[in-house]
């Protein structure tokens, strides 16, 4: 979800503040774009394919009996956690100190952070991803984001590179020193939109972890699983890497069905809801909010860094692009010198840029936040109740959702791949109000005890898991009932904002109560009004439930 192209020509339209002549100026290729192509041109030669038969043709595979399915969240005393970013060099690891600092900048990159287990960040210290004692998992619903990617087309990071290169090739050039000295020979090595190698690994690892956690549920299938994704390249790649991790590289192509839903204007798609024009009409609310905050938190940073570069005039959005580059280069190239430039306070300010943008664009502060996510909630209720959908007036795709082949209702495991903004909107549609506890978000400071932190909610490879389980109806009761709870990046989310769900230390709600609460939520979201009506949003924006119309 990129920022709109700004006047990075806070390089002053590339107007260069040329200093007096200097020695050892930057290389003229500084800021230039470099790319690599693989396979190399002409390397593909199908004429030799017969020399490389596949495993089925070669045979001699040795014994292949399989063991039983893993079920670690049911059988282990603790759940597995995601805490590292191997094989990337995180900014913490790059610091040559014996004792690493407690602050990790990569966990303050907003939606550009690699996902990690958030622990009890959502307010349930006694809960864990492990199934509560006496309960047994019966079904699981996974909504995950794609893995780490290159910047989007027109992103500020590429604009920074172009402006720097223009400065390098202008008369007099520029010279950087101290912490910015690397800019003298730096060039731009990032692609556009597609997954990075680390992004592919994230989804492969997520698939493996999901098999270890929930593989036992495969025993409940009578047909092949149907997993869903959208048609963008990074979405297809994410889904396939997840499947390869979950089923196995040699097995995944024959052990499930991959539904690819068109992601484009004019096509209904709950995993990419583009049929809500007011979302775009009001997108400046989020951009303006994040811009206002950027002017505040990076004001002194510009002054601090300007002393280390002659020939280029820095501005707050120039420096913001440098923070973007730290994140993008790290997840694409493994390491970025940009990360060493900034302080802990500046990284916390950077996180809040993303918090503001998502809050007001696709979160609880957006007038269309609930509408954008309500289609997925409708699908979730259909799956939980095994009831066919009959109303298709939101983002639902009637052709696919009204077909039990492409939208089955009897699966123990459901897996859907989507985008960061969609997960954000789904959290709003689900009415996870504890995440909005300190809203509306102020534009001039970071609130204490921030409850809407984007790196905790929708980082790269974010995963929202609905666990359905059979538990005792009452304490010491032999009677069992169906319960549901949600884990977001391994953290259990309270369901107290949902009608009929009450506080529970494990985040549980009776499935019947949850379904009833969601039916009421679906009924109160006026998709036609929220997405198509001509209305204004208050300024300042005081919305906290994803809807202007209440």
């Amino acid at each position: 979800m990129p920022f709109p192209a700004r006047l990075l020509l806070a390089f002053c339209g590339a107007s260069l503040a040329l200093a007096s002549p200097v020695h050892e100026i930057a290389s003229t290729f500084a800021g230039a774009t470099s790319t690599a192509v693989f396979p190399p041109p002409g390397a593909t030669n199908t004429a030799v394919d017969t020399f490389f038969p596949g495993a089925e043709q070669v045979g001699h595979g040795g014994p292949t009996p399989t063991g039983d399915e893993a079920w670690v969240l049911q059988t282990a005393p603790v759940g597995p956690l995601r805490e590292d970013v191997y094989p990337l060099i995180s900014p913490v690891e790059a610091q040559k100190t014996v004792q690493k600092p407690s602050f990790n900048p990569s966990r303050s990159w907003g939606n550009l952070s690699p996902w990690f287990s958030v622990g009890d960040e959502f307010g349930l210290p006694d809960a864990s991803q492990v199934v509560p004692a006496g309960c047994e998992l019966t079904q699981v619903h996974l909504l995950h984001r794609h893995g780490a990617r290159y910047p989007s087309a027109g992103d500020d990071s590429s604009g920074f590179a172009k402006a720097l290169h223009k400065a390098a090739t202008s008369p007099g050039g520029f010279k950087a020193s101290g912490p910015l000295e690397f800019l003298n020979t730096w060039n731009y090595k990032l692609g556009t939109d597609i997954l990075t190698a680390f992004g592919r690994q994230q989804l492969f690892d997520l698939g493996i972890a999901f098999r270890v956690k929930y593989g036992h549920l495969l025993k409940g299938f009578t047909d092949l699983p149907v997993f869903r994704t959208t048609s963008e390249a990074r979405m297809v790649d994410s889904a396939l890497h997840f499947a390869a991790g979950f089923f196995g590289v040699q097995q995944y192509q024959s052990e499930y069905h991959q539904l690819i839903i068109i992601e484009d204007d004019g096509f209904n798609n709950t995993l990419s809801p583009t049929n809500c024009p007011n979302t775009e009409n009001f997108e400046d609310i989020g951009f303006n909010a994040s811009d206002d905050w950027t002017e505040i938190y990076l004001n002194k940073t510009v002054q601090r860094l300007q002393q280390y570069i002659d020939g280029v005039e820095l501005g707050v959005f120039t420096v913001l692009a440098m923070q973007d580059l730290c994140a993008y280069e790290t997840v694409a190239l493994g390491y970025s010198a940009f990360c060493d430039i900034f302080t802990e306070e500046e990284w916390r300010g950077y996180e809040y840029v993303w918090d503001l943008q998502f809050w007001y664009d696709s979160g609880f502060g957006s007038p269309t936040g609930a509408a954008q996510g309500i289609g997925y909630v409708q699908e979730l209720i259909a799956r939980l109740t095994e009831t066919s959908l009959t109303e298709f007036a939101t983002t639902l795709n009637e052709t696919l959702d009204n077909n039990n082949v492409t939208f089955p209702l009897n699966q123990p495991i459901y897996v859907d791949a989507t985008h960061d903004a969609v997960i954000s909107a789904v959290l709003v549609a689900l009415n996870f109000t504890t995440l909005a506890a300190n809203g509306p978000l102020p534009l001039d400071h970071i609130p204490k005890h921030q409850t809407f932190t984007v790196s905790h909610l929708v980082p790269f490879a974010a995963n929202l898991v609905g666990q359905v389980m059979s538990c005792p109806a009452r304490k010491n009761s032999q009677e069992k009932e169906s319960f549901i709870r949600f884990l977001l990046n391994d953290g259990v989310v309270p369901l107290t904002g949902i009608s009929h769900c009450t506080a529970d230390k494990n985040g549980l709600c009776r499935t019947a109560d949850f379904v009833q609460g969601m039916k009421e939520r679906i009924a109160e979201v006026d998709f036609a009004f929220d997405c198509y009506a001509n209305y204004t949003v208050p300024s300042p924006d005081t919305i906290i439930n994803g809807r202007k119309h209440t």
Side-chain angles (χ1 to χ4, degrees), residues 447-493:
K448 291 182 179 179
H449 312 299
Q450 168 68 318
T451 57
F452 189 87
T453 303
V454 169
S455 60
H456 297 165
L457 307 180
V458 292
F460 284 134
N463 45 100
L464 175 66
V465 179
Q467 293 179 329
V468 183
M469 57 190 78
S470 176
C471 303
R474 294 169 299 280
K475 188 175 182 180
N476 301 322
S477 171
Q478 297 299 313
E479 181 185 355
K480 293 290 186 81
E481 282 190 86
S482 178
F483 287 77
I484 189 171
R485 68 174 184 170
F486 287 84
L487 279 61
L488 181 57
N489 302 317
D490 289 343
V492 182
V493 184

Side-chain angles (χ1 to χ4, degrees), residues 24-142:
E24 300 178 8
I25 62 173
S27 167
T28 55
F29 67 75
T33 299
S34 65
T35 60
V37 177
F38 187 87
T44 302
N45 181 4
T46 57
V48 301
D49 284 356
T50 55
F51 290 92
F52 304 98
E56 290 185 2
Q57 293 173 280
V58 173
H60 303 277
T64 58
T66 184
D68 200 356
E69 289 291 350
W71 208 11
V72 70
L73 294 186
Q74 188 75 52
T75 59
V78 296
L81 301 177
R82 183 71 190 204
E83 296 182 327
D84 71 326
V85 292
Y86 178 87
L88 308 183
I89 306 300
S90 80
V92 170
E93 293 167 343
Q95 299 179 37
K96 298 178 181 178
T97 55
V98 176
Q99 185 171 357
K100 301 300 182 185
S102 58
F103 177 72
N104 185 343
S106 70
R107 296 186 177 186
S108 291
W109 293 346
N111 67 325
L112 306 184
S113 290
W115 93 272
F116 57 95
S117 298
V118 301
D120 61 0
E121 285 292 334
F122 304 129
L124 291 176
D126 296 326
S128 82
Q129 57 181 310
V130 174
V131 176
C135 299
E136 182 175 346
L137 276 169
T138 57
Q139 190 180 64
V140 67
H141 302 255
L142 170 63

Side-chain angles (χ1 to χ4, degrees), residues 338-539:
F338 285 100
C339 298
D340 300 331
I341 298 173
F342 300 100
T343 66
E344 176 178 338
E345 182 181 3
E346 289 160 350
W347 281 122
R348 294 192 187 280
Y350 180 74
E351 167 69 57
Y352 197 57
V353 168
W354 290 109
D355 297 350
L356 286 168
Q357 185 180 342
F358 274 80
W359 173 271
Y360 289 108
D361 278 356
S362 59
F364 293 91
S366 166
T368 65
Q372 293 177 63
I374 204 66
Y376 176 82
V377 174
Q378 291 175 283
E379 292 176 331
L380 174 64
I381 298 308
R383 289 166 166 175
L384 286 172
T385 60
E386 298 187 14
T387 303
S388 297
L389 290 158
T390 57
E391 300 289 336
F392 300 92
T394 61
T395 59
L396 296 169
N397 185 310
E398 183 172 2
T399 302
L400 299 176
D401 285 348
N402 200 26
N403 185 325
N404 61 9
V405 174
T406 52
F407 190 71
L409 297 172
N410 61 346
Q411 296 194 151
I413 299 174
Y414 294 95
V415 178
D416 296 318
T418 188
H419 298 277
D420 47 11
V422 183
I423 295 178
S424 176
V426 167
L427 299 177
V428 177
L430 287 168
N431 220 26
F432 289 172
T433 55
T434 56
L435 303 179
N438 60 0
L441 298 187
L443 309 187
D444 58 354
H445 68 279
I446 303 173
K448 291 182 179 179
H449 312 299
Q450 168 68 318
T451 57
F452 189 87
T453 303
V454 169
S455 60
H456 297 165
L457 307 180
V458 292
F460 284 134
N463 45 100
L464 175 66
V465 179
Q467 293 179 329
V468 183
M469 57 190 78
S470 176
C471 303
R474 294 169 299 280
K475 188 175 182 180
N476 301 322
S477 171
Q478 297 299 313
E479 181 185 355
K480 293 290 186 81
E481 282 190 86
S482 178
F483 287 77
I484 189 171
R485 68 174 184 170
F486 287 84
L487 279 61
L488 181 57
N489 302 317
D490 289 343
V492 182
V493 184
L495 302 184
T496 49
I498 300 169
S499 296
H500 310 289
C501 291
T502 57
D504 182 88
K505 68 176 184 178
N506 291 308
L508 293 168
C509 179
R510 283 184 175 83
T511 304
D513 291 338
F514 174 81
V515 168
Q516 181 59 35
M518 284 297 100
K519 287 181 177 179
E520 294 173 12
R521 178 64 165 164
I522 292 167
E524 77 179 24
V525 175
D526 188 339
F527 183 86
F529 181 92
D530 293 350
C531 289
Y532 290 93
N534 182 12
Y535 59 87
T536 58
V537 174
S539 181

